Amino acid sequence: MKGYDVYSKIQQLREAGLSQRQTAQQLGIHRKTVKRYWKIKAEAYEARRKGSRRMQQLDEYRERIIGWLREYPTLTAAQVSDWLKEHYQTDFKDRTVSRYVKRLREEYGLKKAVHRREYEAAPELPMGQQLQVDFGQMTLRNAAQGHTKVYVAAFFLARSRYRYAYLQSRPFTSADLVRACHDCFAYMGGVPEEMVFDQDSILCVSENAGDIIFTYEFEKFRQESKAAIYLCRKADPESKGKIENTVKYIKGNFLENRLYVDDESLNRDCLAWLARTANAKVHGTTKMVPAEVFVEEQKFLRPLPAISPVEPQRICRAVRKDNTILYNSNRYSVPLGTYTTQPEVKIEVMRGVLYIRTLSGESICAHHVSLGKGQLIQNRNHLRDRTTALDKQMEDLNTDLNGKALAFLKSICKQKPRYARDQFGLIRSLVERYGAEAVLQAIAFCESGKLYSANIMRDYLERMAVPLGREEPIPTVVPVDDPKYHVTTQKRELSAYAKVGGSV
């Protein structure tokens, strides 16, 4: 069967309810062929066929490509695609060239040579010598049916393989890292001789040709802890392969499929996981339990130094024109007028609460941190008080109507809340034009039919009432006893009519 016939037959049998294995047996083809076409839509299959035709067009350059592959064993498909464009001005897609090169390598046995890096086992370090630190991140489902990105700082004591981790829902800053290091020292009950980090911007400002310039917070920490700091390259297994595996272990064993509630709960659960699993199970390399080896290594750690407390991390935010600030993709309200008086504020997150303060530290407001995205978290006290002015308008209008229209005015507020102010304005104009008594009569008419509308009142008054200052015209009465209003009809002889109409 031709390619399209195979695809069509597979789709027909799939729709008939056959499994992949049954379809392969029915058509007498390999199961991998069935799997390849099983879920492909017709449009995707046609696009693949066009790609195959493009690969056939590459046959024109077949010998040249084979020559390149033999002469340059490390040549990549991406380089082949670029060289074709350079020498022959072709316009093949990289994916098409990649599939074609792969087919040629398999057909002619042209295996790609790779530059392999040789590794050697690193010797075990002395007790209490080194603590490795690395970072990772992972997105978790949260209690609001959304997702929260969690950032982790992992610590690994090199000799005993004893682990510690600190997690939070925002990227680490220098102050956050220093606080996590303090917590790690307290957890382990001492300080190692040296600490190994990546060259990260939250640690150092500049490498300075080897004379590394640390950030202010970390330099202060380095001087107080008296630990030697070693910065290595990223993805350097010889320097810190153990800690990279630890980050993967934390993400795969602890964070995977975990529901995020808040930072405090996450760290509490992590400490329990470290105690029962990470530090309690036999290590695959040493064949020893890290917690048991740590009992011995802890004796070689230096005593905890007197370290000045780290101030809670505070982050600045600009106040937007609508008197909100942005935090973790959500908008949080601040009191009206803050944009004018405090264009920039400080925020601090503690135990699931977002505290908003002025730059001088004075409290502005606080919100519970939302786990969702794109939400507006608004305090009702931060909204403009629209009810006070409307209530005052309603009270004044009821007073003008002799205190007899309050129930009707409240019904208008309930029926037409968005237009209550406009309705009240129209009723006031009717009072000024027709007077309170006439308006009350219109209100009574509307209430009898449950018609809560100033427009209906206006229509009623235009038909049934007379505007103030305009008198109703008085009909003229003619006195019957006054002779001047009497008309006497002239009488004629019958002969006059005879002359006009002819002889009778």
Side-chain angles (χ1 to χ4, degrees), residues 409-434:
L409 297 178
K410 287 183 176 179
S411 297
I412 286 182
C413 284
K414 184 177 180 180
Q415 296 287 335
K416 298 178 174 62
R418 290 184 58 189
Y419 303 99
R421 186 173 281 101
D422 297 331
Q423 291 274 315
F424 291 168
L426 180 55
I427 293 174
R428 179 168 294 283
S429 69
L430 294 176
V431 173
E432 294 172 355
R433 186 178 183 187
Y434 294 99

Side-chain angles (χ1 to χ4, degrees), residues 384-408:
R384 183 179 288 108
D385 190 359
R386 295 177 173 86
T387 59
T388 301
L390 188 61
D391 290 344
K392 179 71 165 55
Q393 187 178 0
M394 182 168 60
E395 291 175 3
D396 293 345
L397 185 56
N398 183 54
T399 301
D400 294 343
L401 292 170
N402 303 325
K404 300 178 179 179
L406 185 60
F408 180 78

Side-chain angles (χ1 to χ4, degrees), residues 155 164-167 176-190 221 267 271 304 307 310:
F155 300 82
Y164 176 75
Y166 184 85
L167 306 101
D176 292 329
L177 176 60
V178 170
R179 187 182 305 107
C181 289
H182 290 171
D183 292 346
C184 177
F185 292 164
Y187 181 78
M188 295 184 175
F221 163 78
N267 280 289
L271 290 176
L304 292 172
I307 299 177
V310 181

Side-chain angles (χ1 to χ4, degrees), residues 95-269:
R95 181 63 178 167
T96 302
V97 176
S98 177
R99 289 198 297 264
Y100 190 77
V101 169
K102 181 180 179 181
R103 192 170 72 182
L104 289 180
R105 288 189 182 279
E106 293 175 352
E107 184 177 350
Y108 290 91
L110 301 172
K111 293 184 178 181
K112 181 181 176 182
V114 294
H115 296 294
R116 296 191 180 276
R117 183 176 179 180
E118 297 296 333
Y119 299 100
E120 61 181 10
E124 291 291 343
L125 295 174
M127 292 278 188
Q129 174 68 28
Q130 188 181 91
L131 180 70
Q132 297 181 7
V133 186
D134 201 5
F135 304 94
Q137 61 187 47
M138 190 171 182
T139 302
L140 306 183
R141 293 181 300 108
N142 58 42
Q145 305 302 317
H147 293 84
T148 299
K149 183 174 287 188
V150 171
Y151 300 83
V152 55
F155 300 82
F156 184 85
L157 205 52
R159 180 60 182 269
S160 62
R161 273 68 171 178
Y162 199 67
R163 303 175 179 92
Y164 176 75
Y166 184 85
L167 306 101
Q168 61 184 36
S169 57
R170 67 173 187 275
F172 276 88
T173 63
S174 296
D176 292 329
L177 176 60
V178 170
R179 187 182 305 107
C181 289
H182 290 171
D183 292 346
C184 177
F185 292 164
Y187 181 78
M188 295 184 175
V191 181
E193 294 294 330
E194 68 177 16
M195 302 178 69
V196 177
F197 295 88
D198 276 332
Q199 288 189 8
D200 197 288
S201 60
I202 67 173
L203 277 80
C204 65
V205 178
S206 172
E207 296 181 40
N208 196 28
D211 297 326
I212 297 172
I213 301 175
F214 293 101
T215 60
Y216 167 77
E217 293 86 352
F218 197 77
E219 175 62 24
K220 182 180 177 183
F221 163 78
R222 186 189 67 82
Q223 294 178 12
E224 291 177 339
S225 65
K226 295 181 173 56
I229 305 299
Y230 177 74
L231 300 184
C232 59
R233 304 287 182 182
K234 289 186 177 181
D236 185 1
E238 280 85 355
S239 301
K240 57 177 187 59
K242 299 172 184 176
I243 186 60
E244 289 184 345
N245 289 331
T246 300
V247 173
K248 294 179 183 178
Y249 185 40
I250 294 171
K251 292 165 64 175
N253 193 283
F254 173 67
L255 290 177
E256 187 71 31
N257 300 316
R258 184 170 293 273
L259 183 68
Y260 175 83
V261 178
D262 54 44
D263 289 1
E264 185 177 3
S265 300
L266 190 65
N267 280 289
R268 183 176 61 249
D269 293 343

